[in-house]
Amino acid sequence: MKRINLFVFATHHLSNNVAAQRFKGLLKYLDPAKYRVFVFTREPASGAHVINASSALEVTVFPLSGHCVGSESSASSSLFALAAAFIRPLPFMFSKYGAPQRAWFVSALAQADRLCREKLAAGERCVAIGTYSPIDALIAAASLANRYGIDCLQDFRDGLVFEPLGKSGWLRSTLRKLIERRVLAVSGLITSVSGPLVEDFRRRYPGKTIQVLPNGYDPADFAALLDDADSEERATAILARHVPANAMLIGHFGRIGASDASASVTLENFIEAMNESIPPSATIHVMFVGELTPSEHTSIKRANFSISVLEPVERRLALQLMKRCDKLLLLTGSRASCATGKLFEYLAAGADVLCISAVHNAATDILAETGAGQTLLTGEIAAGSNALRKVLSPRVDRAGRDIRAYSKVEQAGMLDSWISQMVLT
């Protein structure tokens, strides 16, 4: 049987952040006898350490330079990318006649165009996959699918219209809706990271097939830690330097308000509640590892309990540190769709997860479903100190813990069945 070629536009694929893991882990568990994969991504940042996960699947990665729509791009280059959502031949025309090379999606489509044409001429099936954000990946996937009449999967790990990223405003909101409708017009399948996002898509696009494809953890990442003596030694040294002996260690990893501004308020509530309920003599230490905003650094300075703040570390070391924590701290704000990628690594790390949130959301639902942690709303901890003190106690009721649904192995099977149904029917 001839293989199915997947043309995956994923700008973060070679980065070290959590966004990169969404498709990187999924793809390698697909059947190598059935699939061949081409990934169009951006060049990694200078000095970034990229791990090539071993896989029997044939994956060709194209690291391409260029800007994407967002804070890094000029108004003219952003308008060019947005125009391509409505004038589908535009990026191919610019590629042919000397496109502005600063546009990432033009370079990506130039490579994909050649390969897709070759595979279709050989009688093989092709599928275009775009994963947002940024919007450029969705535009590229829709452009390729429209050009060759192939199937298209558009994936949303964040909201474009429902709880969108970026600045607010009537004009931006209207433009997001128009672009979303356009890039989904050729899509046979829409996937998104959480239930609230999927329900919103189903309400607005009743004729489309829409599925939840949550973030997840890759079992291979955690199995590899057993043979990684270097990161194990470094984790031991970091804890010895920053964490008091015999202290209960609560760890938070990654960004807070830089991903969701409302989560910074949750951090403030957590610091205040800890100050009120935890005496300075208590053997509890909170360690933040990752990128914090200036206001978050100010909030943390108000802590009167044992605390440390570390700069971002490479992913393998972060996973080693997670495994050493007694509790893992998740701070979410007022977004109902929030199911931040770090949650799934928390699940696999094994420690009990403590989620402080402004509202019940996708993340709190997952913790309740899996039995992997406990949630406190900011209103509950503001009402008194007993609630926080109680959840900081060691849990004994962990027998019902089940995280299998969030394994990349399980999710790759779901993705395979969806693609097969889309392509073979």
Side-chain angles (χ1 to χ4, degrees):
M1 183 180 73
K2 292 185 177 180
R3 283 187 286 181
I4 299 170
N5 299 280
L6 303 183
F7 293 84
V8 183
F9 298 90
T11 59
H12 294 286
H13 193 77
L14 293 180
S15 69
N16 286 320
N17 65 18
V18 172
Q21 312 312 316
R22 181 155 172 78
F23 271 86
K24 189 183 294 183
L26 278 174
L27 295 173
K28 72 180 184 183
Y29 291 114
L30 293 176
D31 182 357
K34 185 175 179 179
Y35 292 100
R36 182 190 295 113
V37 179
F38 302 97
V39 180
F40 306 92
T41 186
R42 296 179 70 187
E43 289 179 335
S46 177
H49 177 72
V50 178
I51 301 173
N52 294 318
S54 60
S55 171
L57 185 69
E58 182 182 338
V59 179
T60 305
V61 179
F62 294 88
L64 304 165
S65 61
H67 291 317
C68 294
V69 174
S71 58
E72 63 174 21
S73 59
S74 65
S76 59
S77 62
S78 293
L79 287 173
F80 168 67
L82 300 181
F86 299 95
I87 309 171
R88 301 212 192 273
L90 192 61
F92 300 102
M93 293 168 55
F94 272 88
S95 175
K96 184 176 180 180
Y97 297 108
Q101 293 301 309
R102 297 181 66 184
W104 170 82
F105 78 104
V106 172
S107 300
L109 278 172
Q111 296 283 356
D113 183 36
R114 172 182 58 83
L115 290 165
C116 189
R117 186 169 57 248
E118 290 176 1
K119 300 308 177 186
L120 290 173
E124 297 183 353
R125 294 180 176 90
C126 297
V127 177
I129 299 177
T131 176
Y132 173 80
S133 59
I135 191 68
D136 306 66
L138 300 181
I139 294 171
S143 298
L144 187 69
N146 181 77
R147 184 172 177 84
Y148 291 104
I150 62 176
D151 291 292
C152 181
L153 185 165
Q154 298 285 40
D155 174 72
F156 292 77
R157 65 179 180 85
D158 285 299
L160 176 57
V161 172
F162 181 76
E163 296 187 329
L165 298 176
K167 297 178 181 178
S168 59
W170 177 84
L171 180 60
R172 289 186 176 90
S173 177
T174 301
L175 188 58
R176 288 185 182 109
K177 290 177 182 178
L178 291 172
I179 292 171
E180 181 190 83
R181 190 177 307 146
R182 184 65 175 165
V183 298
L184 294 184
V186 298
S187 178
L189 174 64
I190 303 166
T191 56
S192 194
V193 71
S194 69
L197 276 164
V198 164
E199 288 306 313
D200 180 68
F201 277 122
R202 286 175 177 164
R203 179 182 59 81
R204 292 186 295 112
Y205 299 95
K208 293 288 186 180
T209 301
I210 304 164
Q211 301 284 1
V212 177
L213 181 62
N215 282 321
Y217 66 91
D218 188 345
D221 289 344
F222 289 85
L225 296 179
L226 299 175
D227 299 318
D228 191 347
D230 176 63
S231 64
E232 187 174 2
E233 291 175 4
R234 291 166 63 196
T236 300
I238 287 173
L239 296 181
R241 184 162 60 251
H242 294 282
V243 181
N246 301 317
M248 170 191 282
L249 177 58
I250 302 172
H252 181 280
F253 294 80
R255 302 188 299 180
I256 305 174
S259 296
D260 172 12
S262 65
S264 292
V265 180
T266 303
L267 171 65
E268 294 177 8
N269 291 330
F270 172 71
I271 296 294
E272 291 173 5
M274 287 287 288
N275 283 343
E276 293 176 5
S277 60
I278 306 301
S281 59
T283 54
I284 294 177
H285 182 85
V286 181
M287 178 176 68
F288 290 88
V289 182
E291 178 187 344
L292 301 181
T293 65
S295 65
E296 289 163 356
H297 280 286
T298 300
S299 296
I300 287 172
K301 288 178 182 178
R302 291 197 289 268
N304 60 18
F305 50 91
S306 180
I307 197 167
S308 58
V309 180
L310 282 65
E311 293 295 319
V313 299
E314 66 181 69
R315 187 163 176 270
R316 288 177 300 176
L317 180 54
L319 297 182
Q320 288 282 12
L321 291 169
M322 285 182 199
K323 288 175 64 68
R324 310 293 186 86
C325 293
D326 298 296
K327 290 193 180 285
L328 289 162
L329 179 64
L330 184 67
L331 301 171
T332 64
S334 57
R335 297 181 66 200
S337 63
C338 182
T340 177
K342 71 169 71 73
L343 167 61
F344 304 94
E345 295 183 335
Y346 281 8
L347 297 183
D352 195 43
V353 180
L354 168 59
C355 178
I356 310 294
S357 180
V359 296
H360 284 295
N361 54 31
T364 65
D365 290 345
I366 289 168
L367 289 179
E369 169 201 335
T370 59
Q374 299 167 281
T375 298
L376 277 179
L377 298 183
T378 52
E380 293 176 305
I381 62 174
S385 61
N386 287 338
L388 181 58
R389 194 178 295 127
K390 181 178 179 181
V391 298
L392 290 178
S393 303
R395 285 183 69 192
V396 294
D397 57 333
R398 291 171 58 84
R401 192 176 192 274
D402 185 357
I403 64 171
R404 286 174 296 177
Y406 298 98
S407 164
K408 293 289 187 185
V409 178
E410 296 282 331
Q411 294 173 350
M414 293 165 46
L415 182 62
D416 171 50
S417 67
W418 295 336
I419 293 175
S420 297
Q421 185 175 9
M422 184 169 56
V423 171
L424 302 177
T425 57

Short mmCIF file of all heavy atoms in Angstrom, two decimals, residues 51 218-233 235 314-324 345 348-350:
data_model
loop_
_atom_site.label_atom_id
_atom_site.label_comp_id
_atom_site.label_asym_id
_atom_site.label_seq_id
_atom_site.Cartn_x
_atom_site.Cartn_y
_atom_site.Cartn_z
N ILE A 51 16.70 18.25 20.39
CA ILE A 51 16.78 16.80 20.54
C ILE A 51 16.03 16.15 19.39
O ILE A 51 14.86 16.42 19.17
CB ILE A 51 16.17 16.35 21.88
CG1 ILE A 51 16.90 17.01 23.04
CG2 ILE A 51 16.21 14.84 22.02
CD1 ILE A 51 16.27 16.75 24.38
N ASP A 218 4.99 12.56 26.48
CA ASP A 218 5.65 11.50 25.71
C ASP A 218 6.35 10.56 26.69
O ASP A 218 7.31 10.96 27.34
CB ASP A 218 6.66 12.12 24.74
CG ASP A 218 7.24 11.10 23.78
OD1 ASP A 218 7.09 9.89 24.03
OD2 ASP A 218 7.84 11.53 22.78
N PRO A 219 5.89 9.32 26.82
CA PRO A 219 6.53 8.40 27.76
C PRO A 219 8.03 8.24 27.51
O PRO A 219 8.80 8.02 28.45
CB PRO A 219 5.79 7.08 27.52
CG PRO A 219 4.48 7.47 26.92
CD PRO A 219 4.75 8.70 26.11
N ALA A 220 8.44 8.37 26.24
CA ALA A 220 9.86 8.19 25.92
C ALA A 220 10.72 9.27 26.57
O ALA A 220 11.88 9.01 26.93
CB ALA A 220 10.06 8.20 24.41
N ASP A 221 10.19 10.47 26.72
CA ASP A 221 10.96 11.55 27.35
C ASP A 221 11.32 11.20 28.78
O ASP A 221 12.43 11.50 29.25
CB ASP A 221 10.15 12.85 27.32
CG ASP A 221 10.02 13.43 25.93
OD1 ASP A 221 10.79 13.02 25.04
OD2 ASP A 221 9.13 14.28 25.73
N PHE A 222 10.39 10.59 29.48
CA PHE A 222 10.62 10.28 30.88
C PHE A 222 11.43 8.99 31.03
O PHE A 222 12.22 8.86 31.97
CB PHE A 222 9.28 10.20 31.62
CG PHE A 222 8.65 11.54 31.78
CD1 PHE A 222 7.87 12.08 30.77
CD2 PHE A 222 8.87 12.30 32.92
CE1 PHE A 222 7.31 13.35 30.89
CE2 PHE A 222 8.32 13.57 33.05
CZ PHE A 222 7.54 14.09 32.03
N ALA A 223 11.26 8.06 30.10
CA ALA A 223 12.10 6.85 30.13
C ALA A 223 13.56 7.21 29.89
O ALA A 223 14.48 6.61 30.48
CB ALA A 223 11.61 5.86 29.07
N ALA A 224 13.81 8.20 29.02
CA ALA A 224 15.18 8.60 28.72
C ALA A 224 15.89 9.22 29.91
O ALA A 224 17.13 9.20 29.99
CB ALA A 224 15.19 9.59 27.55
N LEU A 225 15.14 9.76 30.86
CA LEU A 225 15.76 10.38 32.04
C LEU A 225 16.51 9.37 32.89
O LEU A 225 17.45 9.73 33.61
CB LEU A 225 14.68 11.06 32.89
CG LEU A 225 13.92 12.24 32.26
CD1 LEU A 225 12.89 12.78 33.23
CD2 LEU A 225 14.89 13.34 31.83
N LEU A 226 16.11 8.11 32.82
CA LEU A 226 16.75 7.08 33.64
C LEU A 226 18.21 6.87 33.25
O LEU A 226 19.02 6.45 34.06
CB LEU A 226 15.98 5.76 33.50
CG LEU A 226 14.52 5.79 33.97
CD1 LEU A 226 13.83 4.47 33.66
CD2 LEU A 226 14.43 6.12 35.45
N ASP A 227 18.53 7.17 31.98
CA ASP A 227 19.90 6.98 31.51
C ASP A 227 20.63 8.30 31.31
O ASP A 227 21.70 8.32 30.69
CB ASP A 227 19.88 6.21 30.18
CG ASP A 227 19.24 4.83 30.32
OD1 ASP A 227 19.52 4.15 31.32
OD2 ASP A 227 18.46 4.45 29.42
N ASP A 228 20.08 9.37 31.82
CA ASP A 228 20.68 10.69 31.63
C ASP A 228 21.37 11.13 32.92
O ASP A 228 20.83 11.90 33.72
CB ASP A 228 19.60 11.69 31.22
CG ASP A 228 20.18 13.02 30.74
OD1 ASP A 228 21.39 13.25 30.94
OD2 ASP A 228 19.42 13.82 30.18
N ALA A 229 22.58 10.62 33.11
CA ALA A 229 23.31 10.89 34.35
C ALA A 229 23.66 12.37 34.47
O ALA A 229 23.69 12.92 35.58
CB ALA A 229 24.57 10.04 34.41
N ASP A 230 23.93 13.02 33.34
CA ASP A 230 24.34 14.43 33.38
C ASP A 230 23.22 15.31 33.94
O ASP A 230 23.46 16.09 34.88
CB ASP A 230 24.71 14.89 31.97
CG ASP A 230 25.06 16.37 31.94
OD1 ASP A 230 26.06 16.76 32.58
OD2 ASP A 230 24.34 17.14 31.28
N SER A 231 22.01 15.21 33.39
CA SER A 231 20.92 16.06 33.88
C SER A 231 20.53 15.66 35.30
O SER A 231 20.11 16.52 36.10
CB SER A 231 19.71 15.98 32.95
OG SER A 231 19.17 14.68 32.93
N GLU A 232 20.69 14.41 35.65
CA GLU A 232 20.39 13.97 37.02
C GLU A 232 21.35 14.62 38.02
O GLU A 232 20.93 15.11 39.08
CB GLU A 232 20.47 12.45 37.10
CG GLU A 232 20.01 11.89 38.43
CD GLU A 232 19.97 10.38 38.43
OE1 GLU A 232 20.34 9.77 37.42
OE2 GLU A 232 19.57 9.81 39.47
N GLU A 233 22.63 14.64 37.68
CA GLU A 233 23.62 15.27 38.56
C GLU A 233 23.39 16.78 38.67
O GLU A 233 23.51 17.36 39.76
CB GLU A 233 25.03 15.00 38.02
CG GLU A 233 25.45 13.53 38.15
CD GLU A 233 26.81 13.28 37.51
OE1 GLU A 233 27.43 14.26 37.04
OE2 GLU A 233 27.23 12.11 37.47
N ALA A 235 20.52 18.34 38.31
CA ALA A 235 19.32 18.57 39.11
C ALA A 235 19.64 18.44 40.59
O ALA A 235 19.17 19.25 41.42
CB ALA A 235 18.24 17.57 38.70
N GLU A 314 17.12 23.91 30.20
CA GLU A 314 16.76 23.03 29.09
C GLU A 314 15.76 21.98 29.56
O GLU A 314 15.65 21.67 30.74
CB GLU A 314 18.00 22.36 28.50
CG GLU A 314 18.70 21.40 29.44
CD GLU A 314 19.93 20.80 28.81
OE1 GLU A 314 20.92 21.53 28.59
OE2 GLU A 314 19.90 19.58 28.54
N ARG A 315 15.02 21.45 28.61
CA ARG A 315 13.84 20.64 28.94
C ARG A 315 14.20 19.39 29.74
O ARG A 315 13.50 19.02 30.68
CB ARG A 315 13.12 20.27 27.65
CG ARG A 315 11.79 19.56 27.88
CD ARG A 315 10.93 19.57 26.66
NE ARG A 315 9.72 18.81 26.89
CZ ARG A 315 9.60 17.52 26.64
NH1 ARG A 315 10.63 16.84 26.15
NH2 ARG A 315 8.48 16.88 26.90
N ARG A 316 15.27 18.70 29.38
CA ARG A 316 15.64 17.48 30.11
C ARG A 316 15.90 17.77 31.58
O ARG A 316 15.49 17.01 32.45
CB ARG A 316 16.86 16.82 29.47
CG ARG A 316 16.59 16.17 28.13
CD ARG A 316 17.87 15.62 27.55
NE ARG A 316 18.87 16.68 27.34
CZ ARG A 316 20.11 16.45 26.91
NH1 ARG A 316 20.51 15.22 26.67
NH2 ARG A 316 20.94 17.45 26.72
N LEU A 317 16.58 18.87 31.84
CA LEU A 317 16.85 19.24 33.23
C LEU A 317 15.56 19.63 33.94
O LEU A 317 15.36 19.29 35.11
CB LEU A 317 17.86 20.39 33.26
CG LEU A 317 18.27 20.91 34.64
CD1 LEU A 317 18.79 19.78 35.52
CD2 LEU A 317 19.33 22.01 34.49
N ALA A 318 14.67 20.34 33.24
CA ALA A 318 13.38 20.69 33.84
C ALA A 318 12.59 19.45 34.23
O ALA A 318 12.00 19.38 35.32
CB ALA A 318 12.57 21.55 32.87
N LEU A 319 12.59 18.43 33.37
CA LEU A 319 11.87 17.19 33.69
C LEU A 319 12.49 16.49 34.90
O LEU A 319 11.78 15.93 35.74
CB LEU A 319 11.87 16.25 32.47
CG LEU A 319 11.14 16.77 31.22
CD1 LEU A 319 11.18 15.71 30.12
CD2 LEU A 319 9.70 17.15 31.53
N GLN A 320 13.82 16.51 34.99
CA GLN A 320 14.49 15.92 36.16
C GLN A 320 14.08 16.64 37.43
O GLN A 320 13.83 16.01 38.47
CB GLN A 320 16.01 15.98 36.00
CG GLN A 320 16.60 15.03 34.97
CD GLN A 320 16.71 13.59 35.47
OE1 GLN A 320 16.15 13.23 36.51
NE2 GLN A 320 17.44 12.78 34.74
N LEU A 321 14.01 17.95 37.37
CA LEU A 321 13.60 18.72 38.54
C LEU A 321 12.15 18.46 38.91
O LEU A 321 11.80 18.35 40.09
CB LEU A 321 13.82 20.21 38.30
CG LEU A 321 15.29 20.67 38.21
CD1 LEU A 321 15.39 22.09 37.71
CD2 LEU A 321 15.97 20.53 39.58
N MET A 322 11.28 18.35 37.90
CA MET A 322 9.87 18.03 38.17
C MET A 322 9.75 16.73 38.95
O MET A 322 8.94 16.62 39.89
CB MET A 322 9.09 17.89 36.85
CG MET A 322 8.77 19.18 36.15
SD MET A 322 7.81 18.84 34.65
CE MET A 322 8.05 20.37 33.76
N LYS A 323 10.54 15.74 38.57
CA LYS A 323 10.44 14.43 39.21
C LYS A 323 10.88 14.48 40.67
O LYS A 323 10.53 13.60 41.46
CB LYS A 323 11.29 13.42 38.44
CG LYS A 323 10.70 13.02 37.09
CD LYS A 323 11.63 12.11 36.31
CE LYS A 323 11.86 10.79 37.02
NZ LYS A 323 10.64 9.95 37.04
N ARG A 324 11.64 15.51 41.05
CA ARG A 324 12.12 15.62 42.44
C ARG A 324 11.16 16.40 43.33
O ARG A 324 11.38 16.48 44.54
CB ARG A 324 13.48 16.33 42.47
CG ARG A 324 14.54 15.79 41.51
CD ARG A 324 15.02 14.40 41.85
NE ARG A 324 16.12 14.00 41.00
CZ ARG A 324 17.39 14.26 41.23
NH1 ARG A 324 17.73 14.94 42.32
NH2 ARG A 324 18.33 13.85 40.41
N GLU A 345 3.14 17.37 31.31
CA GLU A 345 4.43 16.92 31.82
C GLU A 345 4.36 16.75 33.34
O GLU A 345 4.98 15.85 33.90
CB GLU A 345 5.52 17.89 31.40
CG GLU A 345 5.69 17.89 29.88
CD GLU A 345 6.80 18.78 29.41
OE1 GLU A 345 7.14 19.76 30.12
OE2 GLU A 345 7.33 18.53 28.31
N ALA A 348 2.94 13.29 34.00
CA ALA A 348 3.89 12.20 33.81
C ALA A 348 4.99 12.21 34.85
O ALA A 348 5.56 11.15 35.17
CB ALA A 348 4.49 12.27 32.41
N ALA A 349 5.32 13.39 35.39
CA ALA A 349 6.38 13.47 36.40
C ALA A 349 6.00 12.73 37.68
O ALA A 349 6.87 12.24 38.40
CB ALA A 349 6.71 14.92 36.71
N GLY A 350 4.71 12.65 37.97
CA GLY A 350 4.25 11.80 39.06
C GLY A 350 3.86 12.48 40.35
O GLY A 350 3.11 11.91 41.13
#
